Amino acid sequence: MLTTRLLLLVLFPLVGCSDSNPAAWQQRINQPCGKKPNCVSTQDQRDDFTVSPFTLTAKGMKDWQGIKQAALSLPGTKITDESHHYLHVEATSKIFRFTDDLEIKQVDDHLNVRSASRVGYSDFGVNRKRVEAFRNQLIKHELIKQ
């Protein structure tokens, strides 16, 4: 019982660190990740921040709706901004309600993908796992090449 109370006292202040205010959001799909290990991007060339490219198949080139559905299949996601071949998806963690931003933009025959935490220093690999889960969904539906 004492251990549970101590854990709650330590973790409770972190709950207030979540920023789900859409007004705080600004598009960053074309920007490299910062210095904190809480972001990954197909466009960032640094080893700790890069993820492999997403090359579209012929089917993927024509199925933007399928790409949207793959993004929405990820846990805690909702689309908050959409324009021509661009998506901003908020991913909210189940317990602490932290908000991460997943951005997807089709450029010619590939997708630029960026996933980053809004707050905190490290994300413990959560954004990389999200991007790879997204990749697996796209591969499963034959929207990108393996």
Side-chain angles (χ1 to χ4, degrees), residues 43-106:
Q43 295 183 279
D44 202 312
Q45 300 303 308
R46 298 171 294 166
D47 289 342
D48 291 343
F49 301 97
T50 192
V51 289
S52 299
F54 286 62
T55 304
L56 293 164
T57 62
K59 179 181 175 183
M61 293 282 294
K62 301 174 192 168
D63 192 2
W64 183 247
Q65 191 65 30
I67 293 167
K68 285 172 45 175
Q69 290 306 312
L72 288 173
S73 74
L74 303 171
T77 56
K78 67 178 181 179
I79 294 174
T80 58
D81 186 20
E82 180 178 1
S83 57
H84 183 68
H85 293 265
Y86 169 82
L87 290 176
H88 171 231
V89 178
E90 286 184 353
T92 304
S93 65
K94 195 170 192 173
I95 296 181
F96 292 114
R97 311 302 296 162
F98 292 123
T99 301
D100 293 345
D101 298 294
L102 173 64
E103 293 181 275
I104 304 153
K105 183 176 183 179
Q106 182 177 346

